[in-house]
Amino acid sequence: MNTKQRTAFTLIELLTVLAIVAVLSALMLPGIVQSQDAARASACKNNLKQLGLAMHNYHDVYKTFPPGWVAKDQKAESGPWIGWQTSILPFVEQAALYEQINFEDLSKTDEKIWKTSIEMYRCPSDPMVDLNPIRGKLATSSYSGNAGSQRLPGSVDPLKTHNGIFWWNSNCGIRNIVDGTSNTFLAGERCITSGGGIWMGLTKNRNENDALSDCSHHAQLNKSITSFSSLHPGIVQFVMCDGAVRSVSEDIDSSEDEKQPGTFQKLAQKDDGFPIGDF
């Protein structure tokens, strides 16, 4: 009588086990991907919360939000110039970096400063490389300031005043946000699909999109190089002027009619007076 215990799988048993593992993996994979997406979106949301807090702390000190960018020269080709994310460095625990900047003559600032990647300025879902190849190979930012509902003019008129929060030498404060701070975008995501941004500011006056994005009908979410954009499925996250972070559907109502603007355009303007419903 044979009393030996069997110690190995038969081929049929092995194939059955492999098939079960494959099925379980296929069932679990979407859940794993969704969990990863949710974790990245949550990290990005926290970044925006910290940016909003930093800008409110800046506002407490200077009674205004930081300027979109500071330019002494009005020529379109003049630059580079520092932008709003440079201005808030001391409020995002980057005071040491801030103190190394020569604000009187930026050309005397060590270039490695502008090539320093800052974790809070990067969305984990944005695959843009650390040094933005289309913006002077300076350190990338995944976030952009709200220039308003008007299409960024670029070389046409880069120094016009926008109806959002940021523009050339802007000094927009809470006092100017007539529509309410909870109803107005402060800043939002801008990823590789819109060319990313740079935290330094602008490479030239005409390159407003280095630091700002617009909410015109032309620049609907995820639609153009000047758009706010993200790789979070179906949404782009914004920090509002009250510091709250909102997830906005990429299909939010949009219109090019200035007399009947879409919800997207209304949220971009600080003082248009239009009522805003749910979004």
Side-chain angles (χ1 to χ4, degrees), residues 49-233:
K49 279 183 175 293
Q50 294 305 314
L51 287 176
L53 178 61
M55 283 191 274
H56 273 266
N57 287 337
Y58 182 101
H59 191 287
D60 287 345
V61 174
Y62 299 105
K63 311 308 177 187
T64 181
F65 288 121
W69 79 98
V70 179
K72 300 175 183 178
D73 189 325
Q74 297 188 16
K75 296 178 181 178
E77 295 298 320
S78 177
W81 302 110
I82 66 161
W84 64 274
Q85 290 175 87
T86 294
S87 296
I88 64 172
L89 285 175
F91 302 94
V92 294
E93 300 182 353
Q94 295 292 335
L97 201 64
Y98 183 85
E99 291 169 359
Q100 297 178 64
I101 299 171
N102 187 322
F103 291 95
E104 293 300 318
D105 186 352
L106 292 183
S107 66
K108 294 181 180 179
T109 300
D110 191 330
E111 189 178 29
K112 71 179 183 182
I113 299 299
W114 310 125
K115 294 182 180 292
T116 301
S117 184
I118 299 175
E119 184 177 2
M120 188 183 297
Y121 290 169
R122 296 303 310 274
C123 169
S125 291
D126 184 5
M128 176 66 84
V129 294
D130 286 342
L131 301 182
N132 195 318
I134 67 172
R135 303 187 192 278
K137 294 185 178 180
L138 301 176
T140 296
S141 172
S142 304
Y143 304 104
S144 197
N146 169 30
S149 65
Q150 301 162 322
R151 186 171 177 176
L152 287 181
S155 59
V156 178
D157 184 6
L159 304 179
K160 70 181 291 186
T161 298
H162 298 299
N163 59 19
I165 306 301
F166 300 104
W167 61 89
W168 168 62
N169 292 346
S170 57
N171 60 346
C172 178
I174 291 175
R175 64 191 176 279
N176 304 114
I177 306 172
V178 178
D179 291 347
T181 55
S182 63
N183 293 324
T184 309
F185 292 143
L186 180 57
E189 295 184 81
R190 193 260 301 279
C191 71
I192 190 171
T193 60
S194 296
I198 50 176
W199 64 256
M200 183 204 77
L202 269 59
T203 49
K204 295 179 181 178
N205 273 333
R206 66 179 177 86
N207 295 336
E208 290 171 282
N209 191 230
D210 286 344
L212 309 180
S213 293
D214 72 79
C215 299
S216 66
H217 187 65
H218 168 80
Q220 296 175 64
L221 297 180
N222 293 323
K223 294 290 176 62
S224 83
I225 194 68
T226 67
S227 298
F228 287 101
S229 60
S230 87
L231 294 179
H232 307 308

